[in-house]
Amino acid sequence: AGIEPLTNRIHYNTFSSLPVLQLRDESGRLSVCSKLCYAIGGAPYQITGSALGFFLQIYLLDVAQLDTFYASIILFVGRAWDAVTDPTVGFLVSRSRWTRCGRMMPWILISTPFAVLTYFLIWYVPSVEQWKVLWYLIFYCLFQSLQTCFHVPYSALTMFISMDQKERDSATAYRMTAEVLGSVVGTAIQGQIVGGAITPCLPGNLEVLDNGNTTLLGSDVNISHISLDETKRAYLIASAVICVLYVLCAAVLFLGVREQEECGRLKTEPMSFFEGMRMVMGYGPYVKLVMGFLFTSLAFMLLEGNFALFISYTMGFRNDFQNILLVIMLSGTLSIPFWQWFLTRFGKKTAVYIGITWAVPFMILIVCIESSLIVAYVVSVAAGVSVAAAFLLPWSMLPDVVDDFKVKNPDSSGHEAIFYSFYVFFTKFASGISLGISTLSLDFAGYVTRGCSQPDAVNLTLKVLVSAAPVVLIFLGLLIFKTYPIDEERRQGNRKLLQAGVFGVSLELTVEKPDDTGCFLPDAT
């Protein structure tokens, strides 16, 4: 008889010896509880990411007191290494076997304790001066690798919590809300705890030396020694709190979400790494989507990485920067439900054009007018609205590309992790280059570590990094995105084809024995 989509799916319960009828709620859809647990699992990535994105650069320069050149090397190598590990982990995940707790969950469980340990050590200042650069380089790269082992399987899990596009879009909206809220939590914890022990600046007059470098005259280093130690302890306390939240969120994800094995789908032989790369890079809609969001993501990453320095030095609000960052993330959190409604009502491509460009006038405004704390907060609210769109839309549209690929390649399956990991790879690699170049630019402009003020060249460089460069990148991304071919009509057509092809067939079920993945295979043609 005809099988209703998603409602009466018979498969093997790996925690019992008997087959059961999987029902998620009375309508056969994902329950709100399952969506919430799934969403909470995305918070650790954003909690740690926001803390690192907003504070790591200023921490390396003003707390660890590294030279700007070495700080740029750490930021670039760490992000570039993180980018390389994404497709590698995605390839390994795609070849993983199904276990009692799923195919993605083991990666998440095993990586969590090691990730929190390395994250904590990033915010520790070693006593031996000669080892500082190597210390931060090693633990930053290790954390990024372990975080990848968590986030790539978690991202691909979107395709396994439900086979229905609407449910995945709904779960993605829950996830994005939790992730933006995670960014708020990360920014609040790091900002408010560290803000209570702000790194002291060194008073003195700036002087340009013969070699082009800038130094401080008349500064008294000894007067800030105790306060600097307090700042170091504040960073450690903040990192410890974030580590506890990381573990709690991972536990909620594991206990509240079950992967749905796709029964009845033909198994294909696992492909090699380079075959997977050729597959995803040869698929036009995927390339256009990734390249479009690559440029727009870079714009917001440049803004994120340099905004704390811009607020502290160029605008002169050193004691308020953590509150301004918090306003950005709160605005983004409150905007997620609006963008979910907007993309459902007007389509995802329209949401991209309006949501991403919304921040452009405010990026220009903040560098064109005289420094004003009120204007800074207004711009922060407006920027948060665009940040929400930038958070939500890529992860809402990637499943559409994967579905489109499935329709065009019905005999190929199990490659979801590869699609997700390569998207993250390009984004992170490019962001590593941008962060490295931006920090080097500050070095060339004459950035003064822990100075109460900066040379005019540094302030001009910061204006370019938070305004001019992001605006150009946004428009480049939108130009590429105009060629993205999956509109609402094509997306809905793919949804109907997948439902008809996977769940709408007529089968004569003769269930005898589960296969090695835990699925009961029907004896039918």
Side-chain angles (χ1 to χ4, degrees):
I3 300 177
E4 290 295 325
L6 296 171
T7 304
N8 299 327
R9 293 183 61 202
I10 298 179
H11 70 88
Y12 190 69
N13 184 347
T14 57
F15 297 95
S16 171
S17 60
L18 299 174
V20 296
L21 194 65
Q22 280 293 89
L23 299 175
R24 285 169 279 178
D25 61 18
E26 294 181 356
S27 63
R29 296 185 178 276
L30 284 173
S31 65
V32 173
C33 180
S34 294
K35 293 178 183 178
L36 286 173
C37 291
Y38 166 72
I40 290 172
Y45 182 77
Q46 298 301 336
I47 292 175
T48 56
S50 62
L52 290 169
F54 282 124
F55 294 94
L56 183 59
Q57 185 184 50
I58 197 169
Y59 168 81
L60 293 176
L61 294 175
D62 288 355
V63 180
Q65 299 184 40
L66 295 180
D67 183 83
T68 48
F69 174 76
Y70 292 120
S72 67
I73 294 297
I74 292 169
L75 292 172
F76 167 70
V77 173
R79 298 293 287 184
W81 174 256
D82 184 24
V84 171
T85 59
D86 277 292
T88 304
V89 172
F91 169 71
L92 294 174
V93 169
S94 69
R95 296 175 68 93
S96 300
R97 294 182 178 274
W98 184 267
T99 67
R100 288 177 61 86
C101 56
R103 188 150 64 100
M104 307 297 168
M105 285 296 183
W107 287 84
I108 294 171
L109 290 176
I110 294 172
S111 65
T112 295
F114 301 102
V116 296
L117 175 62
T118 53
Y119 178 80
F120 180 80
L121 292 175
I122 289 174
W123 303 102
Y124 175 76
V125 181
S127 57
V128 182
E129 190 72 24
Q130 292 82 352
W131 291 99
K132 280 185 179 181
V133 175
L134 190 60
W135 175 279
Y136 292 116
L137 188 60
I138 289 175
F139 285 110
Y140 188 40
C141 289
L142 280 175
F143 172 72
Q144 296 289 16
S145 299
L146 292 165
Q147 180 76 307
T148 297
C149 292
F150 182 104
H151 192 248
V152 167
Y154 173 77
S155 299
L157 189 62
T158 307
M159 303 301 297
F160 297 99
I161 58 175
S162 176
M163 298 301 111
D164 183 80
Q165 281 187 350
K166 286 186 176 180
E167 288 194 13
R168 289 202 305 257
D169 286 346
S170 176
T172 299
Y174 276 81
R175 171 191 165 189
M176 291 300 104
T177 302
E179 289 196 1
V180 177
L181 185 59
S183 297
V184 173
V185 172
T187 305
I189 292 173
Q190 193 84 4
Q192 298 305 313
I193 294 178
V194 172
I198 297 175
T199 308
C201 63
L202 299 178
N205 298 319
L206 297 173
E207 180 180 90
V208 179
L209 302 179
D210 294 337
N211 58 7
N213 295 327
T214 307
T215 188
L216 281 169
L217 295 179
S219 60
D220 187 358
V221 178
N222 293 326
I223 64 173
S224 63
H225 177 72
I226 296 177
S227 296
L228 182 58
D229 285 344
E230 291 175 353
T231 303
K232 293 176 182 178
R233 284 195 295 270
Y235 273 99
L236 286 178
I237 293 171
S239 65
V241 174
I242 288 175
C243 287
V244 172
L245 290 176
Y246 193 116
V247 174
L248 290 177
C249 292
V252 170
L253 174 66
F254 173 70
L255 296 174
V257 176
R258 289 289 178 267
E259 293 181 48
Q260 304 294 317
E261 174 73 356
E262 295 182 276
C263 301
R265 172 171 285 190
L266 295 174
K267 301 286 189 296
T268 57
E269 291 297 323
M271 60 177 59
S272 69
F273 175 83
F274 293 103
E275 287 175 337
M277 184 169 63
R278 284 196 299 269
M279 176 191 72
V280 297
M281 296 312 299
Y283 194 61
Y286 178 78
V287 173
K288 293 172 182 176
L289 181 73
V290 168
M291 294 304 295
F293 278 122
L294 173 65
F295 285 99
T296 58
S297 298
L298 278 177
F300 288 100
M301 287 176 186
L302 274 178
L303 181 65
E304 177 188 65
N306 296 281
F307 200 63
L309 292 172
F310 176 77
I311 293 295
S312 298
Y313 293 115
T314 305
M315 298 195 72
F317 304 130
R318 186 180 182 86
N319 296 326
D320 298 283
F321 79 90
Q322 70 273 11
N323 297 323
I324 295 174
L325 298 180
L326 184 58
V327 168
I328 293 177
M329 306 318 299
L330 282 173
S331 173
T333 303
L334 297 175
S335 302
I336 286 285
F338 166 77
W339 288 118
Q340 176 62 21
W341 168 83
F342 190 94
L343 66 86
T344 303
R345 177 67 177 82
F346 299 101
K348 297 180 180 181
K349 289 188 70 172
T350 304
V352 169
Y353 296 135
I354 296 179
I356 301 298
T357 56
W358 172 261
V360 171
F362 299 96
M363 288 180 179
I364 298 173
L365 175 67
I366 199 169
V367 298
C368 291
I369 64 173
E370 187 177 351
S371 295
S372 168
L373 189 59
I374 295 176
V375 172
Y377 278 110
V378 170
V379 170
S380 299
V381 172
V385 176
S386 263
V387 167
F391 264 80
L392 174 65
L393 290 166
W395 300 110
S396 179
M397 298 174 75
L398 273 172
D400 300 338
V401 174
V402 177
D403 284 344
D404 195 73
F405 178 83
K406 288 178 181 178
V407 170
K408 301 295 190 298
N409 301 272
D411 296 330
S412 182
S413 65
H415 311 312
E416 292 84 359
I418 298 177
F419 278 95
Y420 279 81
S421 62
F422 271 98
Y423 167 72
V424 180
F425 163 76
F426 289 112
T427 303
K428 288 183 177 179
F429 187 80
S431 70
I433 295 176
S434 67
L435 285 174
I437 291 176
S438 65
T439 309
L440 277 178
S441 300
L442 295 175
D443 183 32
F444 294 146
Y447 180 86
V448 179
T449 301
R450 293 177 61 204
C452 290
S453 61
Q454 297 293 338
D456 292 338
V458 171
N459 292 325
L460 177 61
T461 301
L462 287 171
K463 288 181 179 181
V464 172
L465 292 174
V466 303
S467 180
V471 169
V472 172
L473 289 170
I474 285 174
F475 282 113
L476 286 175
L478 293 179
L479 285 175
I480 295 173
F481 196 79
K482 284 183 67 68
T483 63
Y484 176 67
I486 302 178
D487 53 16
E488 285 303 300
E489 182 179 357
R490 181 166 168 175
R491 189 174 73 88
Q492 294 296 337
N494 288 339
R495 176 191 172 198
K496 293 177 182 178
L497 288 172
L498 286 172
Q499 285 184 333
V502 177
F503 303 110
V505 295
S506 295
L507 298 175
E508 181 183 347
L509 295 179
T510 310
V511 178
E512 295 180 354
K513 183 181 179 182
D515 70 350
D516 58 358
T517 66
C519 289
F520 278 87
L521 297 180
D523 181 16
T525 58

